[in-house]
Every structure is written in C-alpha cells, then in structure tokens.
Amino acid sequence: MEKILVLDFGGQYNQLIARRVRDHHIYAEILPYTTPLSVIRENGYKGIIFTGGPNSVYDETSPHYEKGILELGVPVLGICYGCQLMAYLSGGTVSTAPVSEYGKIELTVLKEESPLFADVPKTSTVWMSHTDYISAAPEGFEVIAKTENCPCAAMQNPGKKLYAVQFHPEVTHSVYGDKMLENFLYKVCGCKGDWKMDSFIDDTVKALREQIGDKHVILGLSGGVDSSVAAGLLSRAVGKQLICVFVDQGLMRKNEGDFVEETFTKLFDMQFVRVNCGDVFLSKLKGVTDPEEKRHIIGDAFYEVFWDEIKKRAHGDAFFAQGTIYPDRIESGKGASGKGAGSAVIKTHHNQRALPDDVDFLGVIEPLKDLFKDEVRAVGEKLGIPHELVWRQPFPGPGLGVRILGEITAEKIRIVQDADAVLRDEMAKNGYEKNLSQFFTVYTGAKAVGVMGDHRTYENVIAIRAITTDDFMTADWARIPYDILATVSNRITNEVDGINRVVYDITSKPPGTVEWE
Ligand code: XMP
C-alpha cells in the first residue's frame, strides 16, 4: 500500500493534512518529528510532508530534523514552518518578515510549469499565517510563487523532488490548495491512489480472520459510531466467534437500547449480550446531586458491570476488541506510533481506563485504529450499518446522567427521555437535524407554576439544547426557526406528563459547555 508520511512539527492543522491526503485515496500517517530517520527510511514512504509548527527555525527549542531526510530520494513537501525548515536545512536564509501575513492573501505563480501548479491559475487566494519568511532561497532551489509581502511563497528543487509552500494548502481558504496537494501526491510522488474503503474492508476482514483463527473475540459495544463499526467489521470477519457486550445502564435515549439490540441481532451474525443494569445504577446514584460525583459513580459502575460480564467469558483464550480510532491515538506534536499504541489503554465510552489486572486476553484488536472519523463512517455505510447509527451525534458516556440536574430518579429519566424523543421526532420531520451538530433536552431540576384548563400546575421545566460546531471545543447555540421551536414546545407540554414549561438554552460555548453537567 502506498503511504505518505506527515511529519509532525506541532502545527495545528496536522490531522487535517493527513485527512486531505487520504481524501485523495492515499494512506497518510502522522509521526512525530522525533521519529528516527532509519524508521522513516524503512517504512518506504512515497512522499513526506513537513507540517507547520508554532516556532521559528532559529529558536533553539524548536523542532528540527536531520538533513538526511532531504537526501532519501523521497519527495518532500514543506508547509509553512516545514517550508522554512526545508530552506534552513538546505542552506537558505529565514528571517523575520518585515510584514507578517495572516489570513487570505493573493498568491502569484511565477513558474507555471511547476508540477505543483498544474491546473492552478496564475493568481489565487491562499491562507497564510507566518511571521518568519524565506529571504533567500537555498542553492539549487528556484522560487516558484510569491505574494505581495512574501517574495518566496513557494520554492522547488525538482532534481531532488523537494517542494515547499509558505501557505497552508490543506485549509479550504486556500482555494487551489487541495489541487496543489493532489499535484504533489500524483505528479511528484507518482502515487496511484490505492487507499479505498472497499479494499480497506476486504484487507481488514482477511487480516482479522487470520489473527483470530478459531478463537473468540469480545467487544464492548456502546451503540456509538466507533464501536458499532468495529462490531460490523468483526462480525463480517468471524461471525459467531464475536461476542458483543452491550451494557444498558438505563441512561440512554428513549428506546435506544432496543434499537441497538435489534440492529445488531437482526443485521449481523454475532453473539449479542445485553446487560440491563439500570436498577443497579439508580441505586448507586440515589441521593447523589454533585455533578462530578455522579459522573464518577456512573463511570465506576459501568466499569464494574462491564468487566464482570467480560470476565465470565474471557479465560485467556479470547481476544479483546475495541473501537479506538486514529485521532484517539494522536497527541499533537507526538503522532501515533502506528504500532497499536492505544493498546494498553482501554477505551470504554466512559473516559479511558486501564485494563483490569485479573483479566487475561490473547491480545487487543483495534480494527479502526488507523481511520479518521469520516472514514469510519464510510466503512460503516459500506458494511450496511443503519444510517442512523453511522451518523449518530456524540452521546456522552454518562448518558442522561449529565442531562438530569440534581438527583437521578427513574421518573426524571422518563421525563427527559420522552421530551427528547419529541424533540428528535420534530427535528427529523422538519429535516432540520442536518443543520445541527447536537441537540437534546435537559431536565433542569427547576419547577414552575403553570395553568392547564382551570387548574394551576406546579411542574418541571425542560430545556432544549441545540448547538452548531466544527469541533465541539467551541460551539454556538443553534438559531432554530421559531415555528419549529413552537411546535416542539407545544408537543412536549401536551404529550409529556410532568412538564409545564419549555425553555431554550441560548448560551454558546464558552462560557457554557454543551452538556449541562
Ligand atoms: P462539553 O459538555 O464538554 O461537551 O462541552 C463536548 C462534547 O463532549 C460530549 N461529552 C462527553 N462525551 N464522555 C463522552 O464520551 C463524557 O463524559 C462527556 N461529556 C461531554 C458532549 O456530548 C459534547 O458532544
């Protein structure tokens, strides 16, 4: 398989670079700049991309690399800091730019014949973010593009297959950036594009069969996207040798446990074990009101129930599988090891915890460990997992536990579930859900006075939370049209017993979080 190395110098867009490469059907992996040259040589990459980074190449603490990487004969593309590093390593001069550039800037191509600029117009907008610049290109390099304040916005040494751009081709603001990346991959590196989800599925299924043989494999299924897709792949590989353990802690959305069970028992060949333990959770949560304490209790109880169930089935003769995905393994500036680094840490849907000491497995299997989320979804669709599961919104590990303020009781769970079901139904009917990143209802714990017919009521206040976001680190409250909100509010107060008032949360993140607890 063709592979591109994204050598990570700590820039903020490094995962994006790898994703863009993969969008062009070429596998890309991210490794830290501390990876030895011998490893890079052995891995047989078709090309290398130096990422951006926050530093100046003259800063002693900034990440560097040995010059030998430019002598491997493997094409290299330097981006932003990576561009300056290439210049520095090759004997050029990097200086503080008289005018630093930030944002959308017009690029002028000086060398239209450069393979990097095939089908790229002479002028186009690119995204810049730099205070240093290359003031003198290294010997053997020619300047191939400039901007008003950056005389060397791109350079090349075609004989050595070295290319560098001061701007960020990976962000969409660089209008022809993706074309330039494609040009680097296909015209400079000579890639053919063999990273396709169909072949990923075939290859993975084959490898899983070989690894698992006639043994069993146990997977913790949460009903989230990652574990569901992992289950789909493993089921295709080994069928009934797969045992999926699904812990229903009673804090899921309305009918969700049944939906997950039905999906996996009807559509896939596997042994499906559902552990219904809502009562255990409720009794542990009795009287507890502190949000952090509630989270801990739910996390601990989950761990206990889950591993008790697994220990019944694992006696050193089975594998353990989990839905770890690529971003779970990458920390910025460090990169994933590419050798199953996540194996020692078990990803339940409640934070990461170590595997218990007293459980013995043949090994840990992570079939999705090299995939980005959008690739996981593509695999899920191809495996026939329902759209609703594959495109599911994030759901917090502690479930409705963080959407019920104050003590958690069966009645409050029922109220928040019923209200949430109405909200979801309306969003689906209106086709509005595609505009939202996440939406749900919250049991606020407040009670309000109301009137119903001739009677005064004193009942619960439910809040609607709906957000839009790219990354969940920041979020904005969604501007849902008033008429949709009106219908939702009417239906909730009419259809759900125990609610007489509905409010809409108009807090962005920050200062609010997405969840209420
Ligand atoms: P916050 O509330 O921190 O949420 O703004 C950001 C995103 O993370 C989800 N979330 C969690 N996911 N375990 C999870 O797996 C948790 O404990 C947890 N808490 C919040 C939340 O739903 C949102 O998508």
Side-chain angles (χ1 to χ4, degrees):
M1 183 174 69
E2 299 169 334
K3 280 196 293 187
I4 294 287
L5 168 63
V6 175
L7 196 59
D8 185 353
F9 290 98
Q12 57 178 321
Y13 301 123
N14 301 350
Q15 288 198 30
L16 190 57
I17 298 173
R19 280 176 47 198
R20 293 271 183 263
V21 172
R22 291 192 192 186
D23 284 345
H24 289 293
H25 305 297
I26 298 149
Y27 182 75
E29 64 187 10
I30 304 172
L31 289 181
Y33 70 92
T34 47
T35 307
L37 187 58
S38 56
V39 172
I40 293 179
R41 188 184 293 115
E42 277 162 23
N43 282 352
Y45 295 108
K46 293 284 284 183
I48 299 172
I49 298 178
F50 290 175
T51 74
N55 312 63
S56 159
V57 285
Y58 290 111
D59 185 341
E60 272 186 18
T61 58
S62 61
H64 274 221
Y65 205 85
E66 57 190 286
K67 191 167 181 264
I69 194 162
L70 302 179
E71 316 286 340
L72 293 175
V74 177
V76 181
L77 173 67
I79 294 177
C80 196
Y81 175 84
C83 167
Q84 295 167 8
L85 185 68
M86 186 186 286
Y88 172 85
L89 291 177
S90 310
T93 311
V94 178
S95 332
T96 305
V99 181
S100 40
E101 289 178 311
Y102 182 81
K104 292 180 183 174
I105 308 279
E106 187 178 89
L107 179 83
T108 304
V109 171
L110 301 171
K111 179 107 185 168
E112 284 165 69
E113 313 84 271
S114 167
L116 210 55
F117 296 139
D119 299 320
V120 173
K122 190 162 175 58
T123 59
S124 66
T125 303
V126 293
W127 182 259
M128 284 282 198
S129 172
H130 67 109
T131 44
D132 282 1
Y133 75 165
I134 297 168
S135 46
E139 219 181 293
F141 281 77
E142 57 187 322
V143 176
I144 55 172
K146 63 168 188 174
T147 69
E148 191 185 347
N149 292 304
C150 186
C152 177
M155 62 178 194
Q156 69 177 15
N157 180 337
K160 292 189 162 173
K161 298 187 201 151
L162 303 179
Y163 294 80
V165 293
Q166 180 56 64
F167 49 89
H168 286 276
E170 70 277 22
V171 304
T172 48
H173 302 302
S174 294
V175 180
Y176 286 87
D178 199 45
K179 186 75 210 167
M180 296 175 205
L181 275 179
E182 183 188 333
N183 287 339
F184 175 70
L185 298 167
Y186 284 88
K187 294 191 188 304
V188 177
C189 302
C191 290
K192 305 243 174 331
D194 60 5
W195 175 248
K196 305 250 167 78
M197 286 305 115
D198 285 324
S199 44
F200 170 84
I201 293 175
D202 294 345
D203 295 349
T204 308
V205 163
K206 193 162 159 260
L208 286 170
R209 276 186 192 139
E210 270 167 28
Q211 184 181 5
I212 298 165
D214 60 356
K215 305 293 184 201
H216 282 101
V217 54
I218 303 175
L219 173 82
L221 189 68
S222 69
V225 181
D226 305 343
S227 64
S228 296
V229 175
L233 262 179
L234 284 158
S235 159
R236 184 170 287 192
V238 296
K240 287 258 180 315
Q241 289 161 252
L242 169 65
I243 305 168
C244 282
V245 175
F246 170 56
V247 175
D248 185 344
Q249 70 328 27
L251 295 169
M252 278 182 284
R253 285 169 285 207
K254 190 172 182 176
N255 301 331
E256 194 166 27
D258 296 343
F259 170 68
V260 172
E261 177 171 351
E262 223 169 86
T263 303
F264 286 97
T265 49
K266 288 210 175 124
L267 295 183
F268 294 94
D269 193 24
M270 63 170 67
Q271 298 180 50
F272 185 90
V273 180
R274 176 170 173 178
V275 188
N276 287 319
C277 51
D279 290 347
V280 175
F281 277 64
L282 271 183
S283 67
K284 285 184 191 276
L285 287 162
K286 200 166 172 31
V288 183
T289 54
D290 178 71
E292 268 311 295
E293 201 183 338
K294 277 167 32 183
R295 275 178 177 268
H296 275 124
I297 291 173
I298 295 170
D300 289 349
F302 182 91
Y303 190 84
E304 228 170 83
V305 172
F306 180 70
W307 285 106
D308 276 354
E309 193 58 40
I310 289 190
K311 281 180 212 163
K312 286 185 206 160
R313 293 155 208 281
H315 309 287
D317 55 353
F319 290 91
F320 180 69
Q322 56 180 357
T324 313
I325 69 171
Y326 198 50
D328 296 332
R329 302 191 300 131
I330 304 172
E331 285 176 64
S332 181
K334 295 208 181 113
S337 80
K339 301 255 185 293
S343 306
V345 179
I346 298 307
K347 183 193 176 200
T348 69
H349 62 308
H350 300 277
N351 308 321
Q352 301 213 329
R353 296 197 183 203
L355 196 77
D357 293 334
D358 56 343
V359 60
D360 190 16
F361 288 114
L362 292 171
V364 176
I365 295 177
E366 298 173 312
L368 308 175
K369 71 178 169 38
D370 294 325
L371 301 194
F372 284 109
K373 195 81 169 189
D374 41 0
E375 294 172 319
V376 172
R377 292 201 160 110
V379 169
E381 297 265 20
K382 284 193 188 296
L383 288 170
I385 297 174
H387 193 77
E388 194 179 335
L389 258 181
V390 168
W391 288 97
R392 144 165 310 209
Q393 293 175 13
F395 188 65
L400 299 178
V402 295
R403 296 178 183 171
I404 294 173
L405 275 61
E407 184 188 6
I408 297 169
T409 65
E411 172 67 355
K412 292 178 192 174
I413 295 174
R414 197 263 313 154
I415 289 176
V416 80
Q417 277 180 339
D418 284 351
D420 189 67
V422 170
L423 176 67
R424 280 199 285 158
D425 185 44
E426 279 305 316
M427 289 300 162
K429 267 193 201 153
N430 283 292
Y432 200 77
E433 56 192 357
K434 64 178 181 307
N435 302 317
L436 304 173
S437 307
Q438 201 174 358
F439 61 90
F440 51 86
T441 55
V442 178
Y443 181 95
T444 65
K447 288 204 156 208
V449 172
V451 57
M452 218 166 252
D454 294 333
H455 301 284
R456 279 172 82 77
T457 56
Y458 185 56
E459 289 192 310
N460 296 292
V461 180
I462 276 283
I464 296 172
R465 179 70 163 146
I467 53 129
T468 55
T469 177
D470 287 332
D471 57 6
F472 295 90
M473 306 292 283
T474 61
D476 199 3
W477 61 276
R479 278 28 173 200
I480 298 178
Y482 281 169
D483 51 350
I484 301 182
L485 286 172
T487 312
V488 172
S489 165
N490 268 336
R491 280 194 56 193
I492 290 179
T493 46
N494 281 323
E495 294 174 26
V496 184
D497 269 355
I499 299 175
N500 67 355
R501 200 171 286 250
V502 178
V503 296
Y504 189 37
D505 181 352
I506 51 169
T507 320
S508 56
K509 172 184 178 178
T513 48
V514 175
E515 303 292 346
W516 274 39
E517 276 200 344

